[in-house]
Amino acid sequence: MSIRTRFAPSPTGYLHVGGARTALFNWLFARQQGGSFVLRIEDTDKERNTDEARLAIFEGMSWLGMDWDEGPDKGGEFGPYYQSERNEIYNRYFEQLVRADRVYEEDGAWRFRFERKTVTMHDLVCGEVTIDYRDESNTPDMVVKRSDGSYVFHFVNVVDDLEMKISHVIRGEDHLMNTPKHLQLIEAFGCSAPAYAHIPLILNADGSKMSKRDEGAAVGDYQKQGYLPAAVTNFLALLGWNPKTEDEVFSVSELIERFSLEQVNRAPARFDIEKCQWMNQQHLAKLGDEEFAAAARPLVEAAGLALGDQFERIAAAVKAKVRLLSEVPAAIDFILTDTFDLDEEALEKVNNNADIAPILDGLADQFDAITDWSADAAKQALNEFAEAKQTKPGKLMFPLRVALSGRGHGPDLGDILTLLGKQRCLKRLRSFVSKLKST
């Protein structure tokens, strides 16, 4: 059997992480099985559909690396891939129901006549699910065509899956109870049903259902905030899928190799933005210095900072310090410009040592005597100066860091000394001493 999966979003808003996770599971399964992944757009809601939302879906999926084999901009033998262009197909299937006497008109709308029997489905994630249609009061006949002539979701969804020869429908658990309805429709059409796999819902960390307004809900925000697509893909894959290993950090190719529907959890998944940021940090750490600098460059430029000719080295100095690429500009601004703010909390800690100003003044003289500047030479000079002053080198490192960077944390001190160079270090150190003396 040819494996064919699909993602069928409605362009009424941005791409939500729930939708992205559904698309990802379909994409991973298709890629793992050597099948095809179809994108079709359910755009029959004319009042709520927007071009902006449609583009957001395309851009979000493309950014995550989920390429589709058939669909908008790709074509395919089972198009059109917009529901708004498929009405003739729907009419043909509807007439089939009319001829079979499976629909009847009521108040201008058309209802599908259920067979009054029990319907059992085997779900690849949820197991066996049975709905009893013998009691009409609990399971009234389903509207398939509205009084205005438009078709409802259940009808067009089934028709599209049949027409596009979808082999596996992988979708959210909120659609589980719809499936027996769809099975009755498929049976009425005389067709074979695809396999169904209903994946768990995504909940917030506190157990509440995740909404579009919650933090982390919009896929577009991840790109703006400096996440790597591979990290977000890795994070989304683990929302409901268990790789059966202690490892959590996977490349996209590793996810494709390992993914299976048998390992999808039945329990709801908990969304944790802190875990997502941690995941991003792990993926950033795996980048080479050139790759990291290239990924950070657009955000640094957007912050209005001049990159200079050693940007790759500067960016590399903070690669292990940031969780998001959006943190890079603030982490390196003091290297790229000589105009930066002093952290008040760090300054207060330095000021707690009343004798620090003359000591730093003497350290500046020690630095000035270095003829061949390097981080090692500067650290040796600091050690010698500390020994002469009968103090520990570590006690000088924090005030030196604050003097050079304006903050009490950041890149390795050796990187700061190297990247700033002798003259900028001396100028900043003496300026800092003057500030201390004037306070």
Side-chain angles (χ1 to χ4, degrees):
M1 178 180 66
S2 176
I3 301 297
R4 291 175 58 81
T5 65
R6 50 77 165 173
F7 178 50
S10 178
T12 57
Y14 59 76
L15 182 60
H16 185 274
V17 293
R21 196 271 308 261
T22 297
L24 177 62
F25 281 21
N26 279 277
W27 184 82
L28 287 173
F29 184 71
R31 293 289 172 263
Q32 204 276 333
Q33 296 288 323
S36 298
F37 174 61
V38 179
L39 175 64
R40 72 170 186 250
I41 305 298
E42 298 189 343
D43 62 339
T44 54
D45 190 343
K46 296 179 181 179
E47 293 183 0
R48 298 175 61 215
N49 292 336
T50 67
D51 287 338
E52 183 181 9
R54 178 175 54 83
L55 290 174
I57 292 169
F58 295 165
E59 290 171 0
M61 292 183 65
S62 296
W63 180 71
L64 288 169
M66 287 188 282
D67 54 323
W68 51 97
D69 302 296
E70 299 173 25
D73 302 330
K74 291 287 182 72
E77 61 178 304
F78 300 106
Y81 293 92
Y82 289 94
Q83 281 188 345
S84 59
E85 300 173 4
R86 297 176 60 82
N87 215 54
E88 287 185 11
I89 298 171
Y90 304 144
N91 287 340
R92 188 170 73 247
Y93 273 79
F94 178 75
E95 287 303 318
Q96 188 176 337
L97 295 181
V98 172
R99 290 193 299 271
D101 194 28
R102 293 300 301 273
V103 290
Y104 60 93
E105 190 175 5
E106 182 180 271
D107 299 326
W110 288 82
R111 290 184 176 274
F112 173 71
R113 185 180 287 109
F114 286 129
E115 285 192 18
R116 295 302 161 183
K117 61 181 182 179
T118 57
V119 176
T120 298
M121 60 169 286
H122 178 74
D123 189 88
L124 296 176
V125 173
C126 302
E128 282 198 354
V129 178
T130 300
I131 298 294
D132 190 348
Y133 281 90
R134 289 175 297 181
D135 185 350
E136 189 171 348
S137 65
N138 291 331
T139 55
D141 289 339
M142 174 178 60
V143 172
V144 291
K145 189 175 185 180
R146 302 181 186 91
S147 58
D148 64 2
S150 64
Y151 295 101
V152 303
F153 160 80
H154 301 292
F155 181 82
V156 297
N157 189 270
V158 164
V159 170
D160 287 344
D161 285 343
L162 294 176
E163 279 284 301
M164 296 180 182
K165 302 187 184 304
I166 301 302
S167 66
H168 290 74
V169 174
I170 306 169
R171 58 189 180 188
E173 190 179 349
D174 50 331
H175 286 292
L176 181 62
M177 289 300 101
N178 292 331
T179 306
K181 301 176 184 178
H182 297 176
L183 290 174
Q184 285 231 26
L185 271 174
I186 292 168
E187 186 178 330
F189 291 133
C191 298
S192 298
Y196 289 93
H198 289 85
I199 58 182
L201 299 178
I202 299 176
L203 306 179
N204 288 312
D206 63 3
S208 61
K209 186 176 180 181
M210 193 175 195
S211 74
K212 292 185 176 182
R213 295 177 296 277
D214 290 326
E215 182 182 16
V219 170
D221 290 345
Y222 291 87
Q223 186 174 8
K224 298 173 187 174
Q225 293 166 7
Y227 286 85
L228 292 176
V232 178
T233 298
N234 190 168
F235 175 72
L236 291 177
L238 296 178
L239 289 176
W241 170 69
N242 187 342
K244 303 297 184 184
T245 174
E246 294 297 318
D247 296 331
E248 294 184 285
V249 181
F250 302 106
S251 66
V252 174
S253 60
E254 288 171 331
L255 290 174
I256 291 172
E257 181 181 351
R258 292 171 176 267
F259 186 80
S260 73
L261 291 174
E262 288 77 16
Q263 292 171 323
V264 174
N265 298 329
R266 182 70 178 86
R270 295 291 182 106
F271 182 91
D272 184 349
I273 194 66
E274 290 292 326
K275 181 64 174 291
C276 188
Q277 292 175 357
W278 174 85
M279 184 71 72
N280 196 65
Q281 188 175 37
Q282 306 311 302
H283 280 265
L284 287 175
K286 289 177 177 289
L287 296 180
D289 290 350
E290 184 177 354
E291 287 179 294
F292 180 80
R297 181 182 295 269
L299 290 95
V300 176
E301 289 177 331
L305 295 169
L307 302 184
D309 57 3
Q310 56 175 350
F311 176 67
E312 184 178 316
R313 292 176 62 200
I314 294 171
V318 298
K319 186 173 73 171
K321 306 288 184 178
V322 299
R323 295 185 301 174
L324 306 175
L325 291 170
S326 56
E327 297 171 357
V328 173
I332 63 174
D333 59 357
F334 73 93
I335 303 175
L336 297 175
T337 178
D338 290 319
T339 303
F340 56 90
D341 295 327
L342 279 171
D343 180 74
E344 292 299 325
E345 185 177 344
L347 181 60
E348 185 178 348
K349 287 182 180 180
V350 174
N351 271 324
N352 286 337
N353 186 344
D355 300 325
I356 195 64
I359 292 175
L360 291 179
D361 211 5
L363 180 60
D365 292 336
Q366 192 89 354
F367 280 173
D368 200 10
I370 299 173
T371 55
D372 189 9
W373 181 266
S374 68
D376 288 341
K379 287 181 178 180
Q380 183 179 343
L382 185 147
N383 290 335
E384 292 173 355
F385 181 76
E387 185 178 355
K389 291 294 182 180
Q390 295 184 332
T391 188
K392 294 180 179 180
K395 289 190 175 181
L396 299 180
M397 288 183 178
F398 181 78
L400 176 60
R401 173 184 289 279
V402 177
L404 299 181
S405 68
R407 61 205 71 173
H409 57 84
D412 181 82
L413 183 58
D415 288 332
I416 296 175
L417 292 165
T418 300
L419 293 167
L420 288 178
K422 177 179 176 178
Q423 295 307 317
R424 291 177 80 192
C425 285
L426 283 174
K427 184 177 180 180
R428 292 186 183 192
L429 190 49
R430 296 196 191 282
S431 174
F432 187 68
V433 169
S434 297
K435 183 176 182 63
L436 290 177
K437 289 179 179 180
S438 65
T439 57

